[in-house]
Structure formats: C-alpha cells, structure tokens
Amino acid sequence: MTPPLLNRWTDSSTLSLGILGVGNIGMVHLKSAAAMPSVEVVAAADAVPGNRERAERAGVSRTYDDYTTLLSAEDVDAAVVALPPFLHADAVERAAEAGVDVFVEKPLARSTEEADRLLETAREGDIAVGVDHTLRYQPDMQGVKAAYDEGSVGHVPYASITRLNDGPLGRPPAEDAPASWPLDADAAGGGSLLELGVHCFDVLEWLFGDLEVRDASMGRSLETDVEDAATVLMAAPETGTTITLHCGSYQWEQLPEVNTRLRLEGVTGTISNDDYLPGNFYADAAKSALSNVASRFTSDEPDVFGPTFYLQAHYDALADFCDAIREGERPPVDGEAGRRTLALAERAYELAAAEAGETDGEANETDAGADDRGTPEVTR
Amino acid sequence: MKNETVRAARIDDADRRGGWDPDVDARLAALESPVRDVLGPALEELSDAERITIVPDAHYPFHPSSGMVTDPAVVGAIVARLEDRTDAEIAVAGATDDRIDFDRAAEYLGYPDLLERFDATLVDLADEPRTGGLSGVEDEPVALSVPTRLAEDAVVVVPSLRPTADGPVAGAMRTLAALVDCDAGADRAPVAVTRSVEPTLAVLDATVAYGGDPIAADALFAGSAPAVDAVATSLLGRSLEADPVLSATRRTDDPVTVDGAGVDVDRLRGRISDGALPPSDDPHPAVTTAYRLYAAVAGDAVPPQLEGGR
C-alpha cells in the first residue's frame, strides 16, 4: 500500500492548499501537492461523493461537497481551482473574499470578458492568480526552446503545432458516461480551441513572443454544440515567424502515446519536439523509476511522477506556482497569460465565424491584436 | 433451412476521395441503389406492417467513419425506401443505458437532422412501455422485459460490422439484445431476445468495417439476423462454431449463401482485419500493482489513472 504522502512538512513555512474539484485533473494536482516539500493539502471539495472518497484515500483529512464551504471553513494559503470552466470566476471570487491565492485550471475563464471580471476581482482581493498551462513544462517543449534559443537552426520562418486527443467522448470500448459540460458551449465557453488550443497558444507565445491571429477555421465531425477541430494561422512579428496551429478532440488517444507535435522549420534544419521525447516511453519510465528508487537511499527527493512526463509537467507547474506564492512573487504563468490565450482563441473564433458567414463582417481583418478587448461578440 | 441466403450489394461512390464522404447527402445518394437491392424481397414481408422500428447500432457517439456505429446515412436510405414502398409508421430506436442517454448519442450522430427529411421519429426505448415474456434457450425458460414497440412492430436491425469488447461480432442479435432487459448472460440473452422479437430483417452496415482498424468495405448485407451475423462473423475472421449465439440460432451448419453482384466476399474477408477493439483505458492490474509498489518504495505519487479502481 502506498502510504499517504501528506503531512510530510509541518513547520511554519508550510504552504496550506485546498483543492477545489478532485476529478481527474484535480486528483493529479492533489497528488502533486501532497508530494511537494513544504506544501500541505488540508482539504478538498467536490460535489461527487466518489471523488471525495478518492481524495480521502489519498490522505486528505477534510473534504467538502461545496467549494464555497471549504473556502469559508478552512484557513488555507492557496487553492487549486480544478472545477469546470463555468465555475472558475465564482470560485476565484470566493477565494478573493477569503484572501486565498489561486492556481486555476485552463482555460482561465470562458471568455476574455469573464477573465477580466475574474482578474479584477483578484486585484480587489489582492490575491495572486496562476494558470495551469503545462505544455511549456514538458521536457520535449523545453528541449525545443533550448535549441531554438541557441539558434540551432537559424531563422525560423515557419512553425507548426498540433495537439489531438479524443476529448470527452473517448474511444472504444465505451465504458463511462461522458461529462456533459465539455460539449456544452455555455458551460465550457468553446470546444477544442479552449480545451487544447489555449495550451498551444501559451507555448507558442513562450517561444515566439506576441502572436497575431490572421485566419482560422473551426470544424465539427459530430453534431456537437462545440467545435472538435480548430485550425489557426498566426504571425509572430518579433521573430518573423508564420505559425499554424491545429487542435482537435476527434482522434482516439491511446496513452502513453500523446499526439502533440511541434516543429520549427529553420533555415538550416528542423527542430521537432519528437527529438526530445523518450524514444521508448516504457524504457524511459523504468529508468526514471529506478532513479527514484535509488534516490530513496541517497536521501534525495524523488522526481515526482518521473515515469510519466506529462503528469510531471503538471507537478512542475504547480510547484512553480507554490514557490512564487511562498516567495511573494507573481506566478510565472499568471492570470494575464491565461487571458491572452483566451483573447487569441476569441479572435480565431471571430475570424472563423466571419469566414463562415455567421457574422455581418464585423470582424476586423486588418490587424486585430491578440489583446484587442474591443472585438465584437461572436456567434458560434 | 430457411433464410440462409443473404443478399449483398456494393456501394459505388465514384466521386468519393479517401475512405469516407463527410457529405451525408452524397452518402444517401450513393446508398439508394444498394439499399433497394438488399431490401428486395423483404419488402413484401414489411408491406403490411402498420409500424416498422429500425434499430441501428447507435450505442455511443463514435464517428461513423470508424465503423464502430451504424452510419446514419444507411438508416436514412432504409427509411427512404420503406417510406416509398410501405404505408407504415417508421421509427428509429435505441435505448438510454448507463453510458449515455440515447437522445444525446443520437443527436451527436446527427439523427434528428437526418430524420427531419422523412416522417420517421426517433424513439428512446428506455422511456417506452415494456412487455414481460418468456423465451427459451436450450430448453430452459428465459425471462425478458421487451419494449412493447419491439414486441409488436416489424423490426429491422441495422448492426455495424465490428467486434464487441468480448470478442464476437456486435451483429444484429447482440445489437437487439442491448435494448431488452434480460439477465440470461452474454451468450444466451441475444438468443432469447432474437427468438422473442423475431426481427423481420437484419441489414449489416458494412460501408465501413472495424476489425482493429477501420476499412471502407463499401457493402451491405441483408437477411435473417442469424444469417447476417454469420456473414459478419466470417468477414471479421471469427469462427462461426465458436460463437454460442450463432450456434444456438442458426438452422443449418451449411455456409450462408451470399447473393449479390459486385460483392466479392472472399476478397472482402481478406481486406478486413480480424482484430479487436482498442484495449480498455484501465491499465492492467499488474501494472497498477507494480506502480503502487514502486511508488511506495521510491516515495513517488501514484497517478489517479494507476490507482487500480481504489
């Protein structure tokens, strides 16, 4: 049996966390936080009894069926908001009332308008906002950035990123009832572009600086309320790079295979994230596991989620947030970064809608920057 | 020895690029002639029906190009033909189960829009009255609770050409059994349900077959449910004798005769893989046990996906 990893640190510098939402990703955050030095998960909240029971089995001593009750009853330093997007703004508002810093799952909000209200509430409550954009924490993406920053292929006129998975409907055999909110435009704010594309926008901005959306197209392979495919054409003026982004939740995914492809086409060659992924996932996982076992005997901290690099990225993102809170610094991926990804997504929706004749040509095709708050409402 | 002939028709879509045409109108047009061919003599049996219920494989909203569900266009083409040649009220039926509401699955698959072209209605059998009854398998009585619509209507089952998670083909009999309450087990319930409902016809949607990977098979097969399931079993490289449902329902050990120009069954069988569904998302118990042991020794965290249902 794995012993609970909680309460490893109890000195006064310990950061106390509450986890709001302990579904799949919330449990990853809970387990990440529980394994962090100087972090203590003191409580978790979830409306689903089974999720609360999982949190309790993971060592959380107090659970609540309502995140507002947790925030009013517990004295926590920070909260992880791993709730569906339609609850993010309310959860941040409650956290601001309690003076609790927040680490919010992506997308930060369902729209820039909602994000602005959320960030204003956070400012008024003097709380920090971090966003869980994890691609930039993956070792393959960090390998690409290091090679790019070293100038290893010279000027990069073109880059492409693709992120595909099977979304809420999954793949055969059909086993569990799919959640309804990810396919509900009102609840999620959008489809694949808000679920996956925002991660891509974040990593592209991290690589190339400010981005400008030039064109976009949305697609649906089934009759769903939201898109399950998005393609976006962008420019990065600072680096003179043209970029295409394609994301979709239409492709069956078989973990540990993850279909995330980033290619930078430079003058002297190509930088690909494939070059920085383990050649054999299982061999690499075994190597990492052996290293962690050895660290037990050398009194080193284990590399948490070491055998699974995409979960390790979530650990690193939350750890960075916790470090920043502890040091009184701005989170490295903050609310403004999360808002910028929403602005890019909204611009893409506008252009796609205009292309499809769904608006009256209101979308300004000249040069709407990513941060243009005056862009018209889009009918999707 | 009756009903061991299956009618087959090939689907020609000369304008299609790749293995799938996303335009439902184009698929409906390409299916018109083959549906007419395979329904053929069965229309006589359906001509006097007051109501006809069509039961497609719509168990979950997987994309029809994967072969995991019936292509709604095949159902639409059948509805069109039946409306043209009968005066029956026509319904397309499925049933809400613990995985997904039928209305939701049908919506994602495009059935409401499709059926707006016709007079047919969409019916969730989970909301319909049921009729209790007894059927028999191997001389033992089997209790059933059958949606009254299935018990009273002329029923046309339209399965996809794919395996089940347990290995055998999904087929007409198992597709039908999924809509009926019967606790007789996976090997006996489809037999009992088929004997109770007595579907008038089964039409195998082999436009796309899934045998580990999808393949554009571009064919339809129609006949009795056991005969059509025998053809499906053969096309997916399974043994007819090893399938207890087929063994209990087929009236002869002779091969099924496939009658239809343009469909080369042997060649089709060679093109379709004999594989299985993708493995479950749940990791093997040995993997979860090993990971938990490793995590305990190393002090690492166990990902939620590897908790092994704890």
Side-chain angles (χ1 to χ4, degrees):
Chain A
M1 288 292 177
T2 308
L5 289 159
L6 304 186
N7 303 316
R8 294 169 56 174
W9 301 83
T10 55
D11 57 88
S12 59
S13 66
T14 295
L15 191 77
S16 61
L17 278 189
I19 312 290
L20 316 185
V22 278
N24 223 12
I25 192 64
M27 279 301 293
V28 171
H29 292 312
L30 189 161
K31 294 204 161 204
S32 294
M36 283 175 199
S38 302
V39 173
E40 182 184 12
V41 180
V42 298
D46 201 295
V48 179
N51 290 346
R52 294 199 297 275
E53 288 164 15
R54 278 205 309 173
E56 287 160 6
R57 283 199 300 272
V60 178
S61 53
R62 293 185 296 281
T63 58
Y64 299 84
D65 62 6
D66 186 332
Y67 62 87
T68 61
T69 310
L70 184 156
L71 287 168
S72 59
E74 296 285 346
D75 182 19
V76 294
D77 297 316
V80 174
V81 180
L83 301 160
F86 64 91
L87 293 172
H88 287 186
D90 182 67
V92 171
E93 186 177 343
R94 302 302 180 113
E97 289 167 0
V100 172
D101 298 316
V102 287
F103 181 72
V104 185
E105 239 330 297
K106 57 78 200 170
L108 173 64
R110 292 172 292 176
S111 65
T112 52
E113 189 182 341
E114 189 174 60
D116 289 338
R117 287 200 306 272
L118 182 157
L119 294 174
E120 180 59 27
T121 302
R123 270 191 291 274
E124 289 171 357
D126 196 25
I127 63 166
V129 177
V131 184
D132 186 29
H133 283 306
T134 50
L135 274 188
R136 62 165 82 181
Y137 285 93
Q138 288 187 188
D140 54 331
M141 298 296 166
Q142 292 178 341
V144 168
K145 181 165 173 58
Y148 177 51
D149 288 346
E150 285 173 4
S152 68
V153 292
H155 171 54
V156 174
Y158 174 69
S160 61
I161 188 166
T162 302
R163 175 74 184 102
L164 297 173
N165 70 12
D166 50 21
L169 295 177
R171 62 176 172 80
E175 287 170 344
D176 300 320
S180 57
W181 65 260
L183 293 167
D184 179 339
D186 288 337
S192 301
L193 195 59
L194 285 199
E195 171 65 17
L196 303 172
V198 290
H199 273 321
C200 300
F201 287 135
D202 178 71
V203 83
L204 291 169
E205 190 184 70
W206 177 63
L207 285 165
F208 300 111
D210 287 346
L211 303 170
E212 294 173 358
V213 175
R214 296 294 168 83
D215 205 352
S217 171
M218 305 295 148
R220 290 173 176 82
S221 58
L222 291 169
E223 297 299 319
T224 50
D225 193 25
V226 296
E227 82 282 356
D228 67 2
T231 307
V232 185
L233 175 68
M234 284 169 285
E238 192 178 332
T239 59
T241 306
T242 298
I243 305 164
T244 52
L245 178 163
H246 178 74
C247 59
S249 45
Y250 55 82
Q251 187 177 73
W252 296 355
E253 183 176 66
Q254 177 94 54
L255 294 173
E257 294 298 326
V258 177
N259 194 345
T260 305
R261 299 283 179 264
L262 174 64
R263 286 176 65 91
L264 276 55
E265 305 295 352
V267 171
T268 66
T270 301
I271 304 171
S272 168
N273 74 312
D274 269 353
D275 298 336
Y276 302 94
L277 283 170
N280 182 309
F281 179 89
Y282 293 104
D284 190 73
K287 185 179 166 188
S288 176
L290 286 172
S291 170
N292 274 349
V293 171
S295 73
R296 193 72 164 181
F297 300 101
T298 56
S299 300
D300 293 331
E301 285 296 323
D303 209 6
V304 177
F305 291 136
T308 47
F309 69 86
Y310 40 86
L311 293 181
Q312 195 175 28
H314 285 288
Y315 175 93
D316 290 342
L318 181 57
D320 262 10
F321 169 80
C322 291
D323 287 346
I325 297 305
R326 195 178 287 110
E327 299 300 324
E329 296 173 352
R330 195 176 183 85
V333 185
D334 64 7
E336 292 300 330
R339 186 200 180 279
R340 286 197 298 278
T341 66
L342 291 172
L344 290 162
E346 282 185 356
R347 182 63 183 152
Y349 281 134
E350 283 173 10
L351 290 170
E355 188 81 17
E358 292 175 12
T359 67
D360 299 325
E362 289 177 290
N364 175 7
E365 295 188 17
T366 51
D367 183 17
D371 209 26
D372 180 5
R373 298 183 187 199
T375 48
E377 194 73 21
V378 179
T379 304
R380 276 175 235 144
Chain B
M1 302 300 166
K2 189 182 167 189
N3 279 341
E4 285 293 326
T5 295
V6 164
R7 293 176 66 86
R10 177 176 168 72
I11 298 144
D12 287 313
D13 186 351
D15 297 330
R16 188 184 73 199
R17 293 178 187 272
W20 178 255
D21 191 334
D23 181 350
V24 69
D25 290 314
R27 298 205 306 280
L28 279 167
L31 284 159
E32 184 180 343
S33 170
V35 162
R36 185 179 62 234
D37 290 346
V38 295
L39 291 188
L43 281 175
E44 287 179 24
E45 290 183 65
L46 292 163
S47 61
D48 294 335
E50 290 183 7
R51 291 199 315 188
I52 301 172
T53 294
I54 299 173
V55 177
D57 178 357
H59 73 286
Y60 197 82
F62 294 121
H63 198 274
S65 68
S66 69
M68 286 302 302
V69 294
T70 303
D71 178 5
V74 170
V75 176
I78 292 170
V79 171
R81 183 66 176 160
L82 293 177
E83 283 192 350
D84 189 42
R85 299 298 299 268
T86 75
D87 296 324
E89 286 179 33
I90 298 172
V92 175
T96 291
D97 59 22
D98 54 4
R99 290 171 305 209
I100 194 164
D101 285 353
F102 175 64
D103 286 349
R104 192 175 172 207
E107 181 188 343
Y108 293 167
L109 289 169
Y111 277 103
D113 285 349
L114 177 80
L115 296 184
E116 273 184 12
R117 301 156 192 249
F118 311 104
D119 283 336
T121 54
L122 200 60
V123 174
D124 183 351
L125 295 174
D127 299 333
E128 294 268 301
R130 291 190 170 245
T131 303
L134 280 178
S135 184
V137 180
E138 294 169 355
D139 298 327
E140 289 184 22
V142 173
L144 305 165
S145 174
V146 184
T148 306
R149 180 179 286 271
L150 293 185
E152 294 180 352
D153 289 9
V155 173
V156 177
V157 194
V158 191
S160 55
L161 179 49
R162 64 170 176 93
T164 59
D166 295 333
V169 296
M173 292 187 282
R174 291 185 175 90
T175 297
L176 196 59
L179 310 183
V180 175
D181 288 340
C182 177
D183 294 330
D187 293 344
R188 291 154 50 89
V191 179
V193 169
T194 302
R195 286 176 178 161
S196 172
V197 173
E198 295 186 291
T200 309
L201 185 69
V203 180
L204 176 66
D205 172 12
T207 53
V208 178
Y210 184 89
D213 289 304
I215 185 167
D218 292 321
L220 297 176
F221 298 87
S224 73
V228 160
D229 283 4
V231 170
T233 299
S234 173
L235 287 172
L236 285 179
R238 269 94 173 140
S239 160
L240 273 61
E241 293 73 25
D243 187 331
V245 176
L246 280 178
S247 298
T249 50
R250 290 192 68 212
R251 298 174 185 176
T252 171
D253 291 333
D254 293 338
V256 175
T257 302
V258 176
D259 179 14
V263 178
D264 183 336
V265 174
D266 290 335
R267 184 168 174 274
L268 200 53
R269 190 183 295 117
R271 289 177 60 217
I272 300 172
S273 303
D274 58 359
L277 295 188
S280 166
D281 275 332
D282 292 334
H284 191 280
V287 174
T288 59
T289 301
Y291 203 103
R292 282 159 49 198
L293 179 63
Y294 145 73
V297 172
D300 196 358
V302 180
Q305 299 86 341
L306 292 173
E307 287 181 319
R310 296 170 71 234

